[in-house]
Amino acid sequence: MPFAARLQHSALQLLALLTALTALAAPLPADPPAPRPNIIVILSDDMGFSDLGCYGGEIRTPALDSLAAAGLRFTQFYNTARCCPTRASLLTGLYPQQAGGGHMMDDRGLPGYTGNLHTSARTIAELLKPVGYRNYAVGKWHVTRHADAAGPKHNWPLQRGFDGCYVTIHGAGSFYDPSSLVRDNQMISPYADPEYQPQTYYYTDAITDHAIGFVRQHTQQHAQQPFFLYVAYTAAHWPMHALPEDIARYRGRYDQGYQPVREARFRRAAELGLIDPSQPMAPGFGDWNAMPHKAWEAACMEVYAAMVDRMDQGIGRLMHTLQQTGQDQQTLVFYLQDNGGCAETVGRTGNRQHPDIARPAQPTLPVMKPEDFAAAGSTPAQTRDGFPVRMGKQVMPGPADTYVAYGRAWATVSNTPFREYKHWVHEGGISTPLVAHWPAGIAARGELRHSPGHLIDIAATCCDVAGATVPDGGQPLEGVSLLPAFAGQPLQREAIYWEHEGNRAVRAGRWKLVAKHDQPWELYDIDTDRVEANNLADKQPDRVRELSLLYDRWAARASVAPWPLPEPR
């Protein structure tokens, strides 16, 4: 090879060597950031701690059981004991009074009790939108007092960060003809809705179908963005309305009465590791042997179970849609409940407007037009086809012309093994299952987490996984992220607090201070007495004083007002 050629060849070799050495010395490129997950929050209504199969119940819930088996179950997760406050708190990551939703949807003239979300209380949707999420809401909204078609809409979903919605603004109503039904910003009648006309309208199915529709639409039109989907079922809130094929599955299942069902749930929950079997159940309620209307009582629970079953079927269909669209691995799914089992007695006796009578052979009231909105409020006077809505112990629940709650005795079963119900902040009123499922983000499968948590933690967790922060002018979140718990680490916090209708509580570590309205404080060691049977207040006055000071400081900071509140404005 001529000298010039050899020189050129050597130069090229040297250049290649220098290039290789430079590449080796250069820092390695960082791993690409983990994709932000889709997030689905599923909230059910008026259900107790033990109703799901994966929490010890006999009701058929294979979809939720499957999510739990492939994810996590929390054993000490809490809500706020009532529907409106829970929704205000869940959506904003604040305590209810901080969000303006300390009671129900009426304005009591106090900052914590306006019946509307404060503008400074940013919803999860408003927090996630700036980091690229699209947001959808289906089901029960119930965080504004403005539920009329012509009323203000500043606290309807589209004005609070959601890009699409199919919701009932009001809090309760017929499952066959829900009132205050809204698509986006337009109030609609389910029977004059050109976009959705099923053969049989049933609100639980409508919620599921629209949740599925939003997932499919998002995948087709906005696949480059993550989504947040809020699915707020009204099951199993009264009235006990369920489809015949679901009721048939539970026919005769509850003929044995309350206590055998409760005892079986206790045994299963203990076997699953959810409760400590050395702690006895709280006292039961209801003497089955003395019950004069056993068939009616059993039917109430049969329909309740059917409502839960139908909801679970819908959750299964939603999860199947995630799999079909390739979204299942990278979607964080939460399931929880808004309060404990409901002991309210709605519809358990007849009255003049809703008599305790047999169904008439023919309609006795004017037939409603398809475009007519359902009767305003939570309790309609008639069905759309002109039959009077009936209540009382001659009225077997399930069909559209019935309006019955399942009652305190079955609520006691739902809350196994705990004490009290919806409204109260003893464990039966505030304890909820929490199922967390995220194949790409949670390594554990089928494990339990025992750290106390609260639904204020959901918004904090959403922000953590999405990389979102509270903007200027927004109230700082009160919750803590659950990501440490996902990894098996304890959650670090000073305390968790509650107030509803004067019922109040604070939990710090293993200690819980709790009281009913106008009653003295009770003190419990939750580690050894979660059923709140052994009140230690007289034995540990210093601890009572310490925890009550914590509560008082929180109440002053969180705009908690003494009960009773001023009359609505």
Side-chain angles (χ1 to χ4, degrees):
M1 179 183 295
F3 177 76
R6 289 200 306 272
L7 183 64
Q8 183 181 26
H9 179 70
S10 297
L12 290 173
Q13 286 181 314
L14 179 60
L15 179 61
L17 177 63
L18 289 174
T19 301
L21 290 173
T22 300
L24 289 173
L28 294 173
D31 291 335
R36 292 168 297 167
N38 305 315
I39 303 168
I40 300 178
V41 174
I42 303 171
L43 183 69
S44 68
D45 203 344
D46 278 14
M47 288 175 57
F49 180 80
S50 71
D51 281 326
L52 304 182
C54 55
Y55 276 78
E58 73 294 331
I59 300 173
R60 197 185 71 126
T61 55
L64 285 168
D65 297 351
S66 177
L67 290 177
L72 299 173
R73 280 167 296 165
F74 286 69
T75 65
Q76 298 188 66
F77 208 79
Y78 292 112
N79 50 47
T80 72
R82 193 79 177 276
C83 44
C84 297
T86 280
R87 285 161 173 74
S89 187
L90 172 64
L91 283 167
T92 64
L94 304 171
Y95 286 106
Q97 295 84 357
Q98 293 173 307
H103 190 237
M104 299 298 283
M105 294 297 96
D106 47 30
D107 184 1
R108 300 301 183 104
L110 298 168
Y113 307 86
T114 65
N116 262 319
L117 295 182
H118 295 320
T119 56
S120 62
R122 305 299 172 87
T123 68
I124 296 173
E126 290 173 310
L127 295 170
L128 297 185
K129 186 179 284 289
V131 295
Y133 278 72
R134 286 186 64 84
N135 306 295
Y136 311 96
V138 293
K140 179 172 172 176
W141 185 240
H142 212 199
V143 287
T144 176
R145 65 180 185 273
H146 302 301
D148 297 328
K153 298 177 180 177
H154 59 283
N155 264 320
W156 286 21
L158 263 60
Q159 285 64 249
R160 298 311 305 256
F162 289 92
D163 298 287
C165 77
Y166 180 87
V167 301
T168 41
I169 301 296
H170 197 269
S174 171
F175 282 72
Y176 300 99
D177 195 6
S179 62
S180 70
L181 185 64
V182 166
R183 174 176 284 110
D184 295 338
N185 275 330
Q186 184 67 41
M187 190 165 284
I188 57 175
S189 160
Y191 292 89
D193 179 4
E195 296 186 33
Y196 183 71
Q197 284 293 315
Q199 185 174 359
T200 299
Y201 187 96
Y202 184 67
Y203 191 35
T204 300
D205 286 348
I207 291 170
T208 298
D209 290 342
H210 283 82
I212 289 171
F214 279 131
V215 170
R216 293 195 182 281
Q217 178 191 65
H218 182 92
T219 304
Q220 294 165 1
Q221 299 178 10
H222 306 283
Q224 74 282 5
Q225 294 177 259
F227 68 79
F228 168 64
L229 174 61
Y230 175 49
V231 185
Y233 285 102
T234 52
H237 193 291
W238 47 260
M240 300 296 100
H241 279 171
L243 298 172
E245 59 267 33
D246 296 321
I247 299 172
R249 190 173 291 118
Y250 295 92
R251 193 71 69 200
R253 180 65 182 81
Y254 299 101
D255 289 353
Q256 60 191 313
Y258 318 118
Q259 194 62 17
V261 181
R262 195 164 180 250
E263 291 172 353
R265 289 185 177 201
F266 182 90
R267 288 193 299 271
R268 283 191 293 269
E271 291 167 359
L272 292 169
L274 296 160
I275 61 173
D276 180 356
S278 68
Q279 300 180 28
M281 289 190 289
F285 178 83
D287 181 354
W288 186 256
N289 292 329
M291 180 58 59
H293 304 284
K294 289 185 177 63
W296 180 78
E297 278 287 319
C300 287
M301 189 60 191
E302 290 169 4
V303 177
Y304 177 92
M307 295 167 74
V308 175
D309 189 314
R310 193 71 174 196
M311 177 189 71
D312 185 83
Q313 293 175 48
I315 293 170
R317 291 199 289 121
L318 176 59
M319 296 308 300
H320 182 63
T321 301
L322 292 178
Q323 294 168 359
Q324 287 181 320
T325 56
Q327 305 288 320
D328 55 313
Q329 297 296 304
Q330 195 54 27
T331 298
L332 169 58
V333 179
F334 289 113
Y335 167 85
L336 70 164
Q337 298 164 186
D338 67 344
N339 43 248
C342 175
E344 295 167 357
T345 59
V346 173
R348 293 180 67 80
T349 58
N351 57 44
R352 190 172 71 175
Q353 186 182 17
H354 303 90
D356 186 2
I357 58 173
R359 175 184 171 91
Q362 299 294 329
T364 60
L365 298 167
V367 175
M368 297 171 63
K369 298 176 181 177
E371 63 271 20
D372 291 341
F373 295 146
S378 61
T379 310
Q382 69 167 81
T383 63
R384 189 163 287 270
D385 55 359
F387 286 91
V389 169
R390 302 170 296 126
M391 298 177 175
K393 295 177 175 57
Q394 295 187 59
V395 177
M396 287 296 181
D401 65 333
T402 69
Y403 215 89
V404 176
Y406 77 155
R408 181 179 172 185
W410 289 119
T412 305
V413 173
S414 286
N415 292 339
T416 303
F418 303 131
R419 173 182 164 195
E420 302 300 343
Y421 317 91
K422 172 184 177 180
H423 294 262
W424 291 277
V425 296
H426 289 77
E427 293 292 286
I430 58 175
S431 295
T432 172
L434 177 69
V435 175
H437 179 269
W438 182 17
I442 298 176
R445 298 291 183 267
E447 294 184 7
L448 302 178
R449 295 292 182 262
H450 302 293
S451 284
H454 188 280
L455 51 83
I456 54 174
D457 301 335
I458 300 297
T461 308
C462 292
C463 287
D464 195 0
V465 301
T469 58
V470 179
D472 292 343
Q475 296 186 59
L477 300 180
E478 288 281 342
V480 301
S481 173
L482 297 175
L483 259 61
F486 290 175
Q489 303 301 315
L491 300 176
Q492 303 295 329
R493 65 190 342 139
E494 178 185 55
I496 304 172
Y497 303 91
W498 295 265
E499 187 280 330
H500 183 66
E501 297 180 335
N503 304 308
R504 57 206 186 277
V506 53
R507 178 166 176 186
R510 66 191 296 168
W511 298 101
K512 181 181 176 186
L513 196 67
V514 59
K516 293 183 178 181
H517 168 57
D518 208 26
Q519 298 295 313
W521 286 114
E522 305 164 13
L523 177 67
Y524 299 101
D525 179 353
I526 297 298
D527 281 1
T528 62
D529 181 27
R530 195 174 172 196
V531 298
E532 299 166 311
N534 184 23
N535 181 7
L536 302 173
D538 290 343
K539 296 179 180 178
Q540 299 199 38
D542 290 344
R543 196 177 303 278
V544 171
R545 188 159 39 250
E546 174 189 353
L547 292 174
S548 65
L549 286 173
L550 269 184
Y551 176 87
D552 290 342
R553 285 200 294 270
W554 167 78
R557 177 174 66 82
S559 299
V560 173
W563 185 263
L565 301 174
E567 289 299 311
R569 299 201 301 188

